[in-house]
């Protein structure tokens, strides 16, 4: 069973970009940066915010984001780094988006949130401007 957890499961965005891989309950970019953790089929970022979910398609599992779940949160976590597999699979053709869904963020976008948090930077919110 442990060998199964160490074997990466490659995942693509709904539009067909190879995002990275799942190892256990973690989602890593192709470069080995942990950007999310799974809670069943849903995925939450390092800050605990909902990123998206996994949906099955005819050519494998893909990542997609529900517009309706963007306010959902889970516990934040400290990301880890993994030795990325040497070969990244090719991108795939995109799928038509469902109503109420949007494509999953690109790996670069998700990874930038990891480094913002790691460097102690905080994104400003509307609450910063309330007096």
């Amino acid at each position: 069973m442990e060998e199964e957890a160490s074997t990466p499961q490659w995942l693509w965005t709904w539009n067909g970009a190879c995002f990275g891989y799942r190892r256990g309950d973690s989602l890593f970019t192709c470069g080995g940066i942990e950007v999310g953790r799974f809670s069943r089929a849903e995925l939450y970022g390092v800050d605990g915010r909902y990123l998206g979910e996994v949906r099955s398609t005819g050519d494998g599992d893909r990542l997609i984001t529900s517009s309706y779940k963007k306010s959902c949160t889970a516990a934040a976590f400290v990301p880890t780094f993994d030795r990325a597999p040497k070969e990244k699979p090719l991108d795939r053709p995109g799928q038509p988006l469902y109503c109420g869904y949007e494509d999953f963020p690109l790996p670069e976008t998700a990874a930038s949130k990891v480094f913002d948090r790691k460097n102690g930077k905080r994104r400003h919110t509307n609450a910063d401007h309330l007096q």
Side-chain angles (χ1 to χ4, degrees), residues 19 30 40 44 67 122:
F19 182 92
C30 294
R40 297 186 183 152
Y44 295 88
S67 303
R122 185 172 73 82

Side-chain angles (χ1 to χ4, degrees), residues 49-127:
R49 292 183 185 166
Y50 170 83
L51 288 176
E53 54 200 67
V54 175
R55 290 283 180 104
S56 294
T57 66
D59 64 355
D61 290 341
R62 295 202 185 204
L63 300 165
I64 192 168
T65 301
S66 169
S67 303
Y68 305 110
K69 296 180 182 178
K70 284 188 165 186
S71 63
C72 294
T73 59
F77 64 91
V78 176
T80 61
F81 298 89
D82 189 47
R83 182 179 296 214
K86 292 183 180 180
E87 292 190 34
K88 170 187 158 188
L90 298 174
D91 291 343
R92 295 182 171 177
Q95 298 281 329
L97 283 168
Y98 300 137
C99 182
Y101 285 85
E102 57 191 61
D103 198 25
F104 196 78
L106 292 173
E108 297 80 20
T109 304
S112 71
K113 291 182 181 185
V114 169
F115 290 112
D116 280 352
R117 180 180 175 160
K118 185 176 179 188
N119 293 329
K121 294 181 183 175
R122 185 172 73 82
R123 294 193 186 273
H124 293 287
T125 66
N126 288 338

Side-chain angles (χ1 to χ4, degrees), residues 2-54:
E2 188 164 321
E3 184 178 330
E4 186 177 308
S6 67
T7 303
Q9 173 194 3
W10 289 98
L11 296 167
W12 289 260
T13 65
W14 208 257
N15 283 339
C18 180
F19 182 92
Y21 58 96
R22 178 178 185 167
R23 194 181 302 266
D25 283 338
S26 297
L27 176 68
F28 294 90
T29 64
C30 294
I33 302 166
E34 184 184 26
V35 295
R37 292 211 176 142
F38 287 90
S39 176
R40 297 186 183 152
E42 293 179 349
L43 185 63
Y44 295 88
V46 294
D47 58 2
R49 292 183 185 166
Y50 170 83
L51 288 176
E53 54 200 67
V54 175

